[in-house]
């Protein structure tokens, strides 16, 4: 095995960061004043836009105000976002992963990804949504309760009107069922991502059980810890401590995660690592060639992922306003930068820039920008994209080949590592001095003070919790399945290919 | 009768086909194969893991000819398929016991 030019890689990471700095300089100069003014304006605007004006509304008792109603633009945007995220799974992720496996396993990868998504969606309706997005009583820091099992009370209220959920703007709501549907796709894709670590050797039955069990122990609690909070309308006027206390653990720590760097990517990536370690390496790993059978389809998948991800990131804003636009442009530029960065890294270390590398760089950029999407500025996002690729290259090649774990499709190397880089970088890039959107004090609908050390610390704490929780929860799930159903296919099945052995079909004839 | 098996570089297929037609050969069977002789394969790197891919894509052409035509056919293939570089391929000449035209049932030289 050829030894990798680690020193050159580390130098590249540094170079990328330094190269990015002059790019950010213009952003420093022009952004210093506006964000401070922009934040309260954007935050206060929804309140003022709803007639009557903010001042008279504050004088009236809250009960006399008409409850906020969804706006058609926000509602439409959220519906489109859900569709985009679904496309990320089918066929985006299915093809991305499918192209990376050997042709004898193509069909099984497509079926596994799609099936896990289908199960995830159904489970979300029955218990997932409730466990993620309701008050969990004594366990509320970690998980929700059962009050909305079967979406009871999550579609219609007692009077038969559609229920709404709050957003990040005071006075802005969207229909709850659209939020439910949107979040269902998140739950679905997170579990499907894990399949990248256990590709070409996991029993279909084990995959099905995993799709039900793993979200219960890992996804729903993480979603709750990061995203459960009162909402901007309820938060206004609340006591700060009360707001934090009533929220999920990580939200209460002021950890920022716009679209799920921790909940989705670190969670799935770490689970993939646990899975690949518990299942063991593919037979012939590092001895036989196991090249992607169709980088064509992988590139198609990467393209679909990129396009769909605008729904994932900008949709996580829950409404169609400037912050959604910020997430949109960040998702565009960070990804482009990461793609180019991976190409450059490979040109330097491998001698040739590869298509696999470009596809991987694009996904790495998407993963990294996910937690930062509505917080960073575009120049900061480009820097993040430039920086994340060399780091992921190191994990996907040097670290993986040295430690010899078979993270087959680099779910850990891209999703966990990219997610960690992005999550921590969010604490830095949100800085208004770096062109970021700055922090919001939802109790006052005003700009909150930003201290880099405090914010980065909150990010690091959240990352550590995400890694630890996922590692433990995933280990339990994989071992439980191993004990009861068995995890791995037989040696003969692995040799013949999962398509014919597990599904009685071939992807190709 | 002789069965001539030629393994040549894929991009030479058309040239060889034309040369064989010019030499009076009326049919052939072609398959995509992999192989190597003195030409080494490529080294492919996926995720920092190196794979020595020994086999190089080639095209195999099989023609059945009369003894008298065999020499001319071999010369035609040789001239058309050569580039002068390693990996040009090889030609094998086998003795062919019988040939049958399925539609008419003819056998022997009249089936060629």
């Amino acid at each position: 095995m050829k030894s990798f030019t680690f020193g050159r890689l580390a130098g590249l990471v540094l170079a990328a960061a330094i190269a990015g700095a002059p790019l950010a300089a213009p952003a420093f100069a022009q952004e210093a004043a506006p964000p401070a003014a922009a934040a309260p304006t954007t935050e206060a605007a929804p309140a003022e836009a709803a007639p009557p004006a903010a001042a008279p509304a504050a004088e009236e008792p809250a009960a006399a105000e008409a409850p906020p109603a969804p706006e058609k633009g926000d509602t439409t945007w959220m519906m489109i976002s859900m569709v985009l995220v679904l496309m990320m799974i089918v066929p985006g992720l299915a093809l991305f992963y499918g192209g990376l496996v050997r042709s004898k396993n193509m069909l099984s990868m497509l079926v596994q990804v799609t099936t896990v998504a289908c199960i995830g969606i159904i489970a979300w309706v029955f218990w997932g949504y409730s466990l993620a997005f309701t008050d969990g009583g004594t366990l509320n820091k970690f998980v929700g309760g059962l009050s909305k099992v079967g979406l009871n009370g999550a579609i219609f209220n007692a009077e038969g009107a559609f229920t709404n959920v709050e957003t990040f703007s005071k006075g802005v709501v969207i229909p709850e069922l659209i939020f439910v549907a949107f979040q269902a796709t998140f739950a679905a894709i997170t579990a499907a991502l894990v399949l990248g670590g256990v590709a070409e050797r996991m029993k279909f039955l084990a995959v099905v059980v995993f799709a039900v069990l793993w979200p219960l122990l890992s996804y729903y609690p993480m979603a709750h810890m990061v995203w459960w909070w009162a909402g901007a309308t309820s938060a206004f006027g609340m006591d700060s401590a009360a707001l934090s206390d009533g929220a999920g653990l990580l939200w209460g720590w002021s950890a920022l995660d716009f679209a799920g760097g921790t909940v989705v990517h670190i969670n799935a990536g770490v689970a993939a690592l646990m899975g690949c370690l518990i299942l063991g390496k593919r037979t012939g790993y590092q001895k036989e060639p196991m090249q992607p059978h169709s980088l064509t389809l992988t590139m198609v998948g990467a393209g679909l992922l990129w396009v769909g991800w605008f729904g994932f990131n900008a949709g996580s804003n829950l409404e169609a306003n400037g912050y959604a636009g910020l997430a949109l442009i960040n998702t565009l530029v960070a990804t482009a930068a990461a793609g180019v960065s991976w190409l450059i890294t490979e040109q330097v270390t491998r001698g040739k820039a590869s298509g696999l590398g470009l596809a991987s760089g694009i996904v790495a950029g998407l993963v990294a920008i996910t937690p930062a999407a509505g917080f960073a500025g575009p120049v900061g996002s480009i820097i993040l994209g430039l920086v994340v690729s060399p780091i992921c290259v190191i994990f996907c090649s040097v670290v993986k080949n040295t430690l010899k774990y078979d993270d087959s499709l680099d779910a850990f190397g891209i999703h966990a590592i990219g997610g960690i880089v992005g999550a921590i970088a969010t604490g830095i890039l949100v800085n208004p001095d770096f062109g970021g959107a700055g922090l919001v004090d939802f109790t006052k609908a005003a700009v909150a003070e930003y201290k880099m050390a405090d914010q980065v610390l909150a990010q690091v704490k959240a990352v550590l919790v995400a890694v630890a929780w996922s590692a433990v929860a995933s280990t339990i799930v994989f071992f439980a399945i191993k004990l009861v159903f068995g995890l791995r296919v037989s040696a003969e099945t692995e040799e013949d290919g999962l398509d014919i052995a597990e599904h009685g079909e071939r992807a190709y004839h | 009768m002789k069965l001539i098996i030629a393994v040549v570089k894929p991009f030479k297929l058309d040239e060889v086909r034309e040369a064989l037609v010019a030499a009076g050969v009326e049919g052939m069977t072609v398959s995509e194969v992999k192989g190597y002789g003195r030409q080494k394969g490529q080294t492919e790197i996926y995720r920092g893991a190196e794979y020595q891919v020994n086999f190089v894509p080639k095209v195999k052409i099989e023609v059945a000819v009369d003894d008298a035509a065999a020499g001319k056919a071999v010369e035609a293939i040789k001239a058309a398929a050569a580039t002068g570089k390693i990996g040009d391929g090889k030609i094998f000449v086998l003795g062919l016991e019988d040939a049958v035209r399925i539609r008419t049932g003819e056998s022997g030289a009249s089936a060629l």
Side-chain angles (χ1 to χ4, degrees):
Chain A
M1 209 61 66
K2 187 161 138 182
S3 73
F4 230 72
T5 47
F6 185 81
R8 282 162 106 186
L9 268 174
L12 254 177
V13 174
L14 199 53
I18 294 171
L23 288 173
F28 294 2
Q30 75 200 50
E31 297 295 352
T41 315
T42 334
E43 286 307 303
E48 278 156 5
E59 287 162 12
E60 289 168 14
E65 255 183 66
E71 301 255 321
K72 290 193 199 281
D74 298 330
T75 304
T76 306
W77 169 237
M78 289 308 297
M79 291 198 286
I80 294 173
S81 292
M82 186 222 81
V83 171
L84 286 171
V85 180
L86 184 66
M87 185 190 72
M88 278 173 68
I89 317 172
V90 296
L93 185 66
L95 290 176
F96 181 80
Y97 275 173
L100 291 174
V101 300
R102 290 166 288 180
S103 60
K104 65 184 182 181
N105 294 316
M106 170 55 155
L107 188 85
S108 78
M109 181 51 70
L110 295 173
V111 171
Q112 285 180 7
V113 169
T114 309
T115 304
V116 167
C118 289
I119 292 173
I121 289 165
I122 299 168
W124 186 254
V125 167
F126 283 129
W127 51 74
Y129 178 67
S130 185
L131 288 170
F133 289 107
T134 58
D135 189 298
T138 41
L139 294 174
N140 190 47
K141 290 272 178 213
F142 301 103
V143 73
L146 300 171
S147 58
K148 287 185 178 173
V149 154
L151 296 185
N152 172 46
I155 314 278
F156 299 109
N157 61 20
E159 289 83 49
F162 286 107
T163 53
N164 298 316
V165 289
E166 298 185 19
T167 61
F168 299 100
S169 297
K170 179 168 166 292
V172 176
V173 296
I174 54 171
E176 186 164 9
L177 57 80
I178 296 177
F179 179 71
V180 171
F182 177 69
Q183 288 292 344
T185 59
F186 276 59
I189 199 172
T190 308
L193 283 171
V194 182
L195 297 171
V198 295
E200 304 197 284
R201 56 205 191 282
M202 190 157 163
K203 285 197 324 212
F204 186 56
L205 175 61
V207 168
V208 166
V209 176
F210 174 86
V212 177
L213 224 53
W214 184 80
L216 279 166
L217 268 76
S218 202
Y219 183 77
Y220 309 142
M222 281 254 33
H224 185 87
M225 286 190 271
V226 175
W227 289 328
W228 174 247
W229 73 296
T233 306
S234 299
F236 186 73
M238 265 180 93
D239 169 60
S240 269
L243 180 62
S244 298
D245 273 344
L249 183 70
L250 302 183
W251 198 100
W253 286 349
S254 302
L256 301 173
D257 187 350
F258 197 77
T262 53
V263 184
V264 176
H265 299 290
I266 296 178
N267 201 2
V270 170
L273 181 67
M274 296 301 124
C276 87
L277 294 173
I278 294 168
L279 259 95
K281 300 185 249 247
R282 286 169 292 177
T283 309
Y285 180 62
Q286 294 188 326
K287 296 189 196 74
E288 290 166 28
M290 291 182 183
Q291 296 108 310
H293 91 280
S294 176
L295 286 171
T296 306
L297 287 175
T298 293
M299 290 292 284
V300 170
L304 290 167
L305 282 169
W306 191 355
V307 173
W309 218 294
F310 291 99
F312 196 92
N313 285 353
S316 289
N317 189 54
L318 305 184
E319 57 175 314
N321 68 2
Y323 285 100
L326 184 62
L328 193 83
I329 193 170
N330 287 339
T331 303
L332 189 66
V333 302
T335 310
V340 169
S341 182
W342 198 297
L343 288 176
I344 295 173
T345 307
E346 283 200 330
Q347 186 66 45
V348 169
T349 57
R350 185 179 173 268
K352 292 181 187 159
S354 73
L356 175 57
L358 179 58
S360 305
I362 283 171
V363 176
L366 288 164
V367 169
I369 197 62
T370 296
F375 298 118
V379 176
S381 300
I382 289 177
I383 297 174
L384 177 58
L386 293 172
V387 165
V388 75
S389 280
I391 297 174
C392 285
V393 171
I394 294 173
F395 276 87
C396 292
S397 51
V398 182
V399 175
K400 191 170 82 164
N401 292 326
T402 307
L403 298 178
K404 300 198 203 312
Y405 55 86
D406 188 3
D407 175 18
S408 320
L409 310 184
D410 290 307
F412 175 75
I414 294 178
H415 291 273
I417 300 301
I420 291 171
V421 171
I424 296 176
T426 302
I428 301 169
L429 296 176
V430 70
N431 187 350
D433 290 342
F434 294 164
L439 302 177
V440 172
D441 180 348
F442 291 100
T443 62
K444 302 188 182 72
V447 174
E449 197 197 353
Y450 167 81
K451 288 205 197 109
M452 192 184 295
D454 291 345
Q455 191 57 52
V456 172
L457 181 64
Q459 302 303 110
V460 170
K461 281 162 69 179
V463 164
L464 291 173
V465 169
V467 170
W469 190 287
S470 179
V472 172
S474 306
T475 303
I476 293 172
V477 170
F478 278 114
F479 272 118
I481 301 175
K482 185 174 176 160
L483 243 85
V484 179
F485 300 99
L487 275 173
R488 197 168 167 149
V489 296
S490 68
E492 206 186 325
T493 297
E494 199 178 335
E495 182 57 46
D496 287 343
L498 272 61
D499 291 7
I500 200 68
E502 293 269 285
H503 302 287
E505 285 181 307
R506 295 187 190 281
Y508 307 104
H509 283 273
Chain B
M1 294 178 289
K2 300 276 188 247
L3 182 67
I4 300 173
I5 301 175
V7 178
V8 302
K9 288 180 168 166
F11 78 94
K12 279 291 184 181
L13 175 60
D14 262 346
E15 237 176 289
V16 170
R17 185 190 56 80
E18 277 167 18
L20 280 171
V21 167
V25 172
E26 288 187 336
M28 64 190 71
T29 304
V30 172
S31 33
E32 293 177 0
V33 298
K34 296 190 221 184
Y36 71 96
R38 290 185 184 167
Q39 181 184 22
K40 299 301 169 212
Q42 300 283 335
T43 303
E44 293 176 33
I45 304 178
Y46 293 91
R47 298 272 193 263
E50 222 174 80
Y51 297 107
Q52 183 59 35
V53 179
N54 293 310
F55 296 102
V56 182
K58 298 284 174 202
V59 159
K60 183 166 75 170
I61 305 164
E62 293 165 280
V63 289
V65 295
D66 250 349
D67 289 336
K72 211 166 142 210
V74 169
E75 283 309 311
I77 296 172
K78 222 169 77 171
T83 65
K85 300 198 198 112
I86 281 182
D88 273 350
K90 282 195 173 50
I91 305 172
F92 306 106
V93 181
L94 286 66
L96 187 58
E97 263 188 34
D98 199 3
V100 176
R101 179 168 284 113
I102 293 174
R103 177 175 59 89
T104 60
E106 288 166 276
S107 67
S110 53
L112 295 177

